[in-house]
Amino acid sequence: MVSYKRLTPEEVHFSGAALLDPDESTDTDLKEVNPELPLLPQSRRCSITVALLTLGGLIVVLSGIWLLGTILWLHKPPSTEPHRPPAPAVAKSLNGTWLQPESCSQIPEAWRFDCYPERGVVVTEEMCHARNCCFIQHTQSNTPGRNGVPWCFYTPDYPSYELVSISDTEMGKVGKLLRNKKTYYPKDIDALQLELLYEEDNRLRVRITDPSEKRYEVPIDVPVVQKKASNPSYTVDFIKDPFGLIVKRTQTGTVLLNTSIAPLFYADQFLQMSTSLPSSFIYGLGEHRSNFLHDVQWNTLTMWARDVPPTELTNLYGVHPFYLSVESDGMAHGFFMLNSNAMDVALQPAPALTWRMIGGIFDFYVFLGPDPSSVIAQYLDVVGKPAMPIYWALGYHLCRWGYKSSDKTWNVVKEMRNYGIPQDVQWNDIDYMDHALDFTYDTMNFSTLPDLVKDLHRHDQHYVMILDPGISNSQPSGSYWPFDEGKKRGIFINDSNGEILTGKVWPGLTAFPDFSNPDTHEWWYQNLKSFHEKVPFDGVWIDMNEPSNFFSGSINGCPDNELENPPYTPGILGGTLKAKTVCASARQKISTHYNIHSLYGLMEAKATDSALKKMTDKRTFIISRSTFPSQGKYSGHWLGDNRSQWKDLATSIPGMLTFNILGIPLIGADICGFGGSTTEELCVRWTQLGAFYPFSRNHNSIDEQDQEPTAFSPAARTAMKEAILLRYSLFPHLYTLFHHAHISGHTVATPLLFQFPNDEKTYGIDKQFIWGKSLLVTPVLEAGRDYVVGYFPKGLWYDFHTGDSLVSSGEDINLQAPIDKINLHLREGSIIPTQRPNTTLWVSSGQPLHLIVSLSEDGVAKGDLFWDDGETLDTYEKDQYAYIYFTVEQNTMTSEVLHNHEEATYITVETVSFYGVKTEPENVTVNSQEATFTYRNNQVLTVTELGLNLSHNFTISWM
């Protein structure tokens, strides 16, 4: 057999549509792709005669062993242990021990692929050799760690599948894979179908399925393409035996995917595939608390939705098996594994990546970019682009668990108004409910809640409340319609015996709605509609929807079967699939919970979105804790139950950036922290950063110190107010960014590397970010600092507030940052629309515009503005919007209305500031009429009192 290697085009055994001869020789001369990267050693050749003699002797020995084993097995009592993997056939020497090949020691540590990935096991040499794998104890540690060089790893010629045929189809190719040797996991699937779909020039889809039996597949909508890509930017080559798939970028020859480096596994409850990576720059793979740039030094990321405060090295609320890879030349590609089963994603320094999943199929996409932004857009073409948010969703939100009464909640709102601090949305956590029962409110402590909501509406503000999926099943019969009616309709998750599964959440014993059942959506809508008639809420916060369960499994535990105890369990917090959730064997409409657990939050969000649209006929506002690919179509997300610590402030940025590349741009962290009590300085700095979260909410836990802006000293309160007013002034720009996210799949909060992919210094930056393409945010993230060091990529930058210019060669720059300031800089060549801010976005959105133009060195700039009524569904799709494009060149600014709408007639452009006008003009004209202007020594030209209607084209010139 051929060694597992990184391969060049010359190394592949066949390509294209040729039909394979199963007996065709696979020996080739192997060469290096990149000489500086280590390759796995080639296995030794042997003559046919020696091979036959050796094989004959081996057959005799194995036959004797098999006969003796059969006799012993027949006299052995049956095992009572559940579903244990069988011991494999082991190659042995004459004295009965497995011969570890010399090639094991030749495999570089970085290229050792773990043959014994089970957690909590100290792997011995005997255990490893029982799997026919190499065993070399790593010298730097006495025991194998979770994240370290594996002691037990695959031999260079470890058995895998053989590709025995390949042929062309209308959409690509189809092939047949066969496995001739069993693995150490039970229920191998010996024959597989390989399907390659050349869907787009920059998108390849690969499916590996069981042709004899239908397996579970993820039930989200993805494109069904009928026509093969005409000019793909990728080539696909194959290795016959052992099977390998190699995808390369046509333009550069860069290998993007190479599965030949380690064996492919495809058993009933264990799927494994490895690939080399073209670089160590890997992003995505949410949801995990980590840096934006993932560590490839033996780093395993587990995916299985879990209720746990953000913690490093564990699975969190959401599951997103997508990664973005930036190549060594600045090009980028993406990879999406469409699988919802529990999984581990193992990164190692080769660099390489291994997928380990316990169900479903291999169904994955490769996106060719070639730049990072294009990769994300192509990914969202598959899973769905984010919804356009309702306008007030982009305002400032205030919430806490522990207001304890509607009057207290109302007083907080009134204090915010009294101090003139902007606020669009007031929330309540579970304490508004009657004994934590969904679709109720406490008529004693929250008796004035309906009046509070009406008062918010009179002040152009809005109300959001929490809902948990756990529905109490212990209320007196006939007293709680949500459970009584749900039981009648059969919409709850059942246990493996077909009875309603009982868990425990805030109201006590609960049942869990099965949102994979369409009947549940109708029941959910009727509950929401009924409660809305009592409390006219505007949005819904869906929490605890992993789903979270205070029991592990159910009140009756879970059965001891292969779904609860799979042959391989990924590194899930708690060690079992049922930990703090429902039984994996629980029954839902479309599948067992084993398969669709991580889809629960997505399915609930979809049901909630549908219900709210039916109720209001407007855009919806939903924030969900648990998420899955395509979630952005239905909801936003917050980063969970963080803490009032500086570390949590800093880690919120990589979390925000990761969810932007995952297609959920409406994202933020709890400002000032949720758990623990904040400090004044921390809360000020967090409010400044939170003003630039796409979703901006201050949220506090019960019995902690108050942390509303009104709770602090006058100086701190003023600093927070200024930060929030700054956000409101930037609303036209932020709203336009969400439009581009909705239409084109762009990011809102953007990593620097997206705008500067050829500057490797930006690849690891996650303490700064850019709104869109132009506005650089550099927050203070440490205590006691009145300065911050920020990286400025090469070019011309302007201080947003003053217009002072800064020329960078690509360097770190020390910026003054007193407690009342967050540093913002405009990239050269941009035009940002801003607006006079007010205390709500409804009022702000009617104010005149101020355009800020940051000229490039050669005096050009461009920008745009999307405008509509802020709440009607599908305004872009229905042509109910205005779109204006701004350009500057040769000392002339032009505003061109590319799409007009009545909404634009209500807005005027009052002032325009031009940053970087090198010489003072002699005169300025507006639509050929002379206008008054000012010019400052820092090269800022400002034209005021314009009164230009946004719905009409205009020009401003200077000379």
Side-chain angles (χ1 to χ4, degrees):
M1 292 186 177
V2 178
S3 302
Y4 293 100
K5 292 177 175 279
R6 292 161 49 88
L7 302 174
T8 65
E10 293 77 16
E11 296 168 344
V12 298
H13 308 313
F14 57 87
S15 178
L19 186 67
L20 297 179
D21 178 1
D23 297 322
E24 180 181 342
S25 172
T26 58
D27 286 339
T28 64
D29 292 329
L30 297 175
K31 300 177 182 179
E32 294 181 338
V33 179
N34 293 314
E36 72 277 12
L37 293 178
L39 297 178
L40 301 184
Q42 185 175 0
S43 56
R44 295 182 175 181
R45 301 172 183 266
C46 60
S47 69
I48 296 176
T49 302
V50 173
L52 290 174
L53 289 173
T54 303
L55 181 60
L58 183 60
I59 290 172
V60 171
V61 173
L62 290 178
S63 298
I65 294 172
W66 174 82
L67 180 60
L68 178 61
T70 302
I71 295 171
L72 293 174
W73 176 79
L74 289 172
H75 288 83
K76 181 181 178 180
S79 172
T80 59
E81 293 186 0
H83 206 70
R84 294 286 182 255
V90 181
K92 297 187 178 184
S93 67
L94 293 177
N95 64 4
T97 59
W98 184 72
L99 295 176
Q100 178 159 301
E102 293 181 10
S103 57
C104 288
S105 61
Q106 299 171 18
I107 301 175
E109 289 183 348
W111 288 92
R112 295 177 181 175
F113 291 86
D114 198 348
C115 178
Y116 221 115
E118 284 82 353
R119 305 297 180 93
V121 177
V122 177
V123 182
T124 65
E125 185 170 3
E126 291 74 19
M127 293 165 64
C128 181
H129 286 173
R131 293 186 173 187
N132 293 355
C133 288
C134 300
F135 183 87
I136 298 178
Q137 183 171 331
H138 186 47
T139 57
Q140 294 183 2
S141 62
N142 295 322
T143 58
R146 175 178 174 181
N147 297 316
V149 180
W151 292 11
C152 184
F153 52 96
Y154 297 111
T155 60
D157 56 356
Y158 201 88
S160 183
Y161 286 87
E162 178 184 359
L163 181 56
V164 297
S165 68
I166 189 77
S167 59
D168 285 338
T169 66
E170 290 186 2
M171 282 300 300
K173 299 180 187 299
V174 64
K176 182 178 181 180
L177 303 177
L178 290 180
R179 173 181 280 283
N180 296 317
K181 294 185 178 181
K182 294 293 183 181
T183 69
Y184 47 88
Y185 288 113
K187 299 184 181 180
D188 281 312
I189 300 174
D190 295 329
L192 300 173
Q193 178 172 292
L194 169 70
E195 184 181 13
L196 283 86
L197 304 172
Y198 295 71
E199 293 193 340
E200 300 285 350
D201 287 347
N202 289 305
R203 185 175 87 218
L204 170 70
R205 186 179 185 183
V206 180
R207 288 168 51 85
I208 304 177
T209 57
D210 180 354
S212 63
E213 185 174 343
K214 178 70 174 175
R215 290 175 60 82
Y216 164 75
E217 298 184 26
V218 180
I220 66 170
D221 295 329
V222 295
V224 178
V225 181
Q226 303 294 339
K227 185 178 180 182
K228 181 180 178 180
S230 58
N231 186 30
S233 58
Y234 47 85
T235 59
V236 183
D237 297 312
F238 309 91
I239 306 300
K240 175 185 175 182
D241 187 12
F243 167 68
L245 178 69
I246 300 167
V247 179
K248 291 170 287 186
R249 189 183 295 280
T250 305
Q251 180 181 349
T252 62
T254 301
V255 176
L256 308 181
L257 183 75
N258 178 6
T259 70
S260 70
I261 59 174
L264 179 75
F265 284 73
Y266 207 121
D268 182 43
Q269 290 182 274
F270 185 81
L271 284 71
Q272 178 172 286
M273 183 184 76
S274 299
T275 178
S276 63
L277 298 169
S279 81
S280 297
F281 301 114
I282 298 295
Y283 311 85
L285 297 174
E287 181 176 11
H288 297 92
R289 175 153 146 161
S290 67
N291 294 330
F292 179 54
L293 172 62
H294 284 299
D295 182 6
V296 298
Q297 296 298 316
W298 307 108
N299 181 19
T300 298
L301 304 170
T302 299
M303 297 190 191
W304 179 252
R306 178 61 151 84
D307 173 6
V308 58
T311 307
E312 287 79 359
L313 301 176
T314 192
N315 50 307
L316 299 181
Y317 312 107
V319 166
H320 294 269
F322 166 84
Y323 68 77
L324 168 74
S325 172
V326 178
E327 300 150 36
S328 57
D329 56 6
M331 289 188 172
H333 71 276
F335 183 102
F336 173 44
M337 180 67 76
L338 182 52
N339 187 292
S340 62
N341 288 91
M343 69 178 74
D344 280 335
V345 184
L347 298 167
Q348 63 189 77
L353 179 150
T354 298
W355 298 92
R356 297 189 192 101
M357 303 166 294
I358 64 170
I361 65 171
F362 283 122
D363 186 356
F364 58 85
Y365 295 81
V366 182
F367 308 100
L368 274 288
D371 60 274
S373 296
S374 298
V375 171
I376 303 310
Q378 291 158 14
Y379 168 57
L380 297 184
D381 282 340
V382 169
V383 302
K385 297 181 178 70
M388 185 67 187
I390 196 166
Y391 76 96
W392 53 262
L394 305 185
Y396 182 70
H397 301 241
L398 200 53
C399 178
R400 82 169 298 170
W401 177 25
Y403 284 130
K404 299 182 180 179
S405 73
S406 51
D407 287 344
K408 171 61 177 174
T409 310
W410 205 339
N411 286 336
V412 169
V413 174
K414 291 174 181 176
E415 286 184 352
M416 292 285 286
R417 292 174 189 165
N418 289 339
Y419 285 112
I421 302 173
Q423 182 192 1
D424 261 78
V425 194
Q426 181 61 52
W427 299 44
N428 276 121
D429 209 311
I430 59 173
D431 46 323
Y432 82 89
M433 298 179 184
D434 181 12
H435 295 91
L437 299 172
D438 276 351
F439 308 112
T440 70
Y441 70 94
D442 180 349
T443 55
M444 295 291 292
N445 295 315
F446 282 82
S447 60
T448 59
L449 183 59
D451 295 326
L452 163 61
V453 175
K454 293 174 184 176
D455 179 75
L456 289 168
H457 292 166
R458 284 195 296 269
H459 288 83
D460 303 315
Q461 294 173 301
H462 299 84
Y463 180 73
V464 170
M465 85 290 187
I466 195 170
L467 284 176
D468 293 339
I471 300 296
S472 173
N473 65 0
S474 54
Q475 303 304 305
S477 179
S479 67
Y480 187 49
W481 192 88
F483 176 74
D484 294 337
E485 185 66 16
K487 181 179 180 181
K488 177 181 176 182
R489 299 188 188 191
I491 56 87
F492 293 115
I493 294 177
N494 290 330
D495 62 22
S496 57
N497 296 319
E499 302 296 327
I500 294 177
L501 183 144
T502 296
K504 183 180 181 182
V505 199
W506 298 114
L509 298 181
T510 58
F512 297 89
D514 175 8
F515 289 104
S516 75
N517 185 345
D519 294 340
T520 308
H521 291 219
E522 177 63 23
W523 166 87
W524 191 245
Y525 159 70
Q526 290 176 359
N527 278 288
L528 283 165
K529 183 174 182 293
S530 175
F531 188 68
H532 189 266
E533 291 170 355
K534 303 170 187 174
V535 180
F537 59 88
D538 301 288
V540 177
W541 171 19
I542 49 177
D543 191 17
M544 307 289 285
N545 55 352
E546 291 72 33
S548 179
N549 182 4
F550 297 165
F551 293 141
S552 284
S554 78
I555 192 172
N556 298 317
C558 302
D560 188 6
N561 59 27
E562 59 187 13
L563 293 180
E564 301 295 340
N565 304 293
Y568 176 81
T569 300
I572 295 163
L573 180 64
T576 64
L577 299 177
K578 65 184 178 182
K580 208 173 181 181
T581 190
V582 303
C583 298
S585 57
R587 299 180 186 177
Q588 297 190 234
K589 178 73 173 181
I590 64 172
S591 188
T592 58
H593 195 72
Y594 180 91
N595 289 321
I596 62 176
H597 165 82
S598 293
L599 292 167
Y600 195 89
L602 170 64
M603 291 177 172
E604 184 187 12
K606 190 173 182 180
T608 307
D609 178 70
S610 174
L612 294 182
K613 284 177 178 174
K614 191 184 298 187
M615 289 162 50
T616 67
D617 197 31
K618 295 179 181 179
R619 299 176 206 167
T620 63
F621 176 75
I622 303 163
I623 293 294
S624 175
R625 191 167 75 178
S626 187
T627 59
F628 192 81
S630 79
Q631 189 91 25
K633 294 164 58 176
Y634 311 106
S635 83
H637 174 60
W638 95 104
L639 294 172
D641 294 341
N642 62 4
R643 302 164 187 84
S644 297
Q645 299 175 1
W646 288 93
K647 179 181 180 180
D648 291 70
L649 168 65
T651 57
S652 70
I653 299 178
M656 171 182 65
L657 296 178
T658 294
F659 272 93
N660 267 265
I661 72 171
L662 296 175
I664 308 176
L666 191 62
I667 176 70
D670 284 347
I671 295 170
C672 302
F674 174 71
S677 288
T678 188
T679 66
E680 184 170 278
E681 181 190 11
L682 175 60
C683 203
V684 169
R685 292 304 192 189
W686 212 325
T687 302
Q688 291 169 346
L689 171 59
F692 291 90
Y693 291 156
F695 164 56
S696 183
R697 180 184 72 163
N698 180 320
H699 180 214
N700 194 6
S701 184
I702 194 167
D703 296 329
E704 301 292 353
Q705 173 186 315
D706 291 348
Q707 62 184 39
E708 301 86 11
T710 56
F712 296 98
S713 70
R717 185 171 62 241
T718 299
M720 294 181 193
K721 177 180 177 179
E722 290 301 317
I724 301 170
L725 284 168
L726 177 60
R727 176 188 181 86
Y728 276 53
S729 73
L730 287 162
F731 170 71
H733 179 52
L734 180 60
Y735 194 66
T736 301
L737 294 180
F738 269 98
H739 162 70
H740 289 303
H742 172 58
I743 298 304
S744 303
H746 292 176
T747 52
V748 174
T750 304
L752 269 70
L753 75 91
F754 275 47
Q755 293 302 309
F756 302 94
N758 295 316
D759 182 354
E760 194 169 309
K761 293 179 182 178
T762 65
Y763 289 9
I765 291 178
D766 58 11
K767 301 297 183 285
Q768 297 170 273
F769 57 96
I770 301 176
W771 263 15
K773 300 178 180 180
S774 305
L775 187 61
L776 176 64
V777 183
T778 308
V780 173
L781 303 174
E782 298 177 82
R785 297 292 180 90
D786 60 0
Y787 69 93
V788 62
V789 176
Y791 179 75
F792 286 77
K794 184 178 180 180
L796 179 60
W797 298 85
Y798 296 91
D799 185 293
F800 174 83
H801 304 282
T802 66
D804 293 343
S805 62
L806 183 159
V807 179
S808 174
S809 60
E811 56 194 303
D812 290 324
I813 295 178
N814 194 314
L815 305 168
Q816 294 302 307
I819 191 66
D820 61 349
K821 178 182 180 181
I822 183 169
N823 276 275
L824 302 178
H825 289 82
L826 281 171
R827 184 182 179 186
E828 63 176 309
S830 59
I831 301 175
I832 298 291
T834 69
Q835 205 159 29
R836 189 182 304 159
N838 211 293
T839 53
T840 68
L841 285 178
W842 177 255
V843 178
S844 298
S845 63
Q847 301 302 305
L849 295 179
H850 174 210
L851 305 179
I852 302 177
V853 181
S854 57
L855 297 174
S856 66
E857 187 63 34
D858 54 358
V860 301
K862 60 184 179 180
D864 61 350
L865 173 67
F866 175 85
W867 207 248
D868 61 11
D869 69 4
E871 59 185 15
T872 297
L873 290 165
D874 302 324
T875 56
Y876 178 81
E877 292 77 4
K878 297 174 181 175
D879 285 338
Q880 298 175 4
Y881 68 95
Y883 183 70
I884 297 92
Y885 194 69
F886 307 108
T887 58
V888 175
E889 56 184 352
Q890 297 180 343
N891 295 356
T892 298
M893 177 180 184
T894 301
S895 173
E896 184 179 4
V897 180
L898 298 182
H899 195 284
N900 214 342
H901 187 261
E902 180 185 8
E903 290 294 330
T905 65
Y906 304 138
I907 307 299
T908 60
V909 177
E910 193 69 21
T911 62
V912 181
S913 292
F914 299 89
Y915 294 173
V917 178
K918 296 179 180 179
T919 58
E920 183 174 359
E922 294 182 2
N923 73 312
V924 175
T925 60
V926 178
N927 292 333
S928 301
Q929 302 294 316
E930 288 196 9
T932 58
F933 64 91
T934 62
Y935 183 82
R936 299 201 305 268
N937 292 336
N938 62 348
Q939 301 184 342
V940 174
L941 167 67
T942 302
V943 187
T944 60
E945 300 179 1
L946 292 171
L948 297 168
N949 195 290
L950 191 63
S951 64
H952 298 129
N953 297 344
F954 64 80
T955 60
I956 302 175
S957 301
W958 67 91
M959 57 183 298

